[in-house]
Amino acid sequence: MMPDHLLVEVRGDFTVLICVYAKDDPNLFLLAMQSIFSNTLLPKAVVLVVDGLVPKSLHDTILFYERNYSVKVIRLNENRGFVAALNEGLQHVETEWVIRADADDYNLESRFSVLNKHMTSDLDLIGSFVAEKDEHGSVYCIKKVPLRSQDISSLLRKRNPFIHPSVAYRVEDVRRVGGYPDVELREDYALWASMIANGARVRNIPDVLVQMSFGDRGFQRRKGGAVLRAEVKLQKHLLKLGLTSPAHALFFGVLRCSVLTLPSAFIKVIYSKVLR
């Protein structure tokens, strides 16, 4: 069901950046878009990048928001991948801050208001906790991340200290490091590393502001040769930035790749019970 209210008042000086492609779930995408415009603080702009051709079920929702909510839709003629879509979207942002949103996640109604309070002159990258939902819509865990800058930097060489659909960042800081690095499937992790190496001021907020859809398909996507190759590229990226040592890169690279070769059921237990 489409929302019955239109965007009539601009209150937040930030842009929501979201990407969608053919394999995204139409129902989850609709809920994601609804949640953006149901927030207590509305964005100044929404930039939606359509990465290649999409089915009618997605096209209809895109067209509705483009016509009725003045969403700026950037259509790519072919599927170019998440990194290219995000970097293309960044070229169309005119505000100082971006809030990231995913096409299958639900933004709690206070999310933008809470983040906006932290978009101050002493921060460049902000994240939060998230609730993870299974394919039935039930929350099965709360994903927590370190809060303080020093703890974030300490965790960086071990695993991702931010959750991509939870973050807000200062656009100029992202552009200064060249946008999202070409590390598909680890592009967000690689970006935070680039920003921190460049002096970005960071923190996480101890509030759940996003409900992430992460069922069995999500665990399955964490497997495969492409993910293993991405892990190798990530470790090389961390080494190039001077954020890890060859010994640590080898240790954590092998450790993470070993986990990725396990059956999906074991990966689900590790992510749900150990890393949360």
Side-chain angles (χ1 to χ4, degrees), residues 147-155 202:
L147 306 180
R148 300 183 305 167
S149 174
Q150 55 266 46
D151 295 328
I152 291 170
S153 297
S154 177
L155 183 65
V202 301

Side-chain angles (χ1 to χ4, degrees), residues 21 74 120-121 150-151 157 161 165 202 209-210 212 226 263:
Y21 82 127
I74 311 301
T120 57
S121 59
Q150 55 266 46
D151 295 328
R157 67 179 179 179
V202 301
L209 300 179
V210 178
M212 289 180 62

Side-chain angles (χ1 to χ4, degrees), residues 46-66:
V46 176
V47 172
L48 171 61
V49 182
V50 185
D51 189 14
L53 298 177
V54 295
K56 186 176 185 301
S57 52
L58 289 171
H59 172 77
D60 289 347
T61 298
I62 294 166
L63 198 60
F64 175 85
Y65 280 94
E66 182 177 28

Side-chain angles (χ1 to χ4, degrees), residues 13 35 119 127 133 141 221:
D13 190 18
S35 72
M119 292 178 189
K133 302 185 299 181
C141 74
R221 286 197 297 268

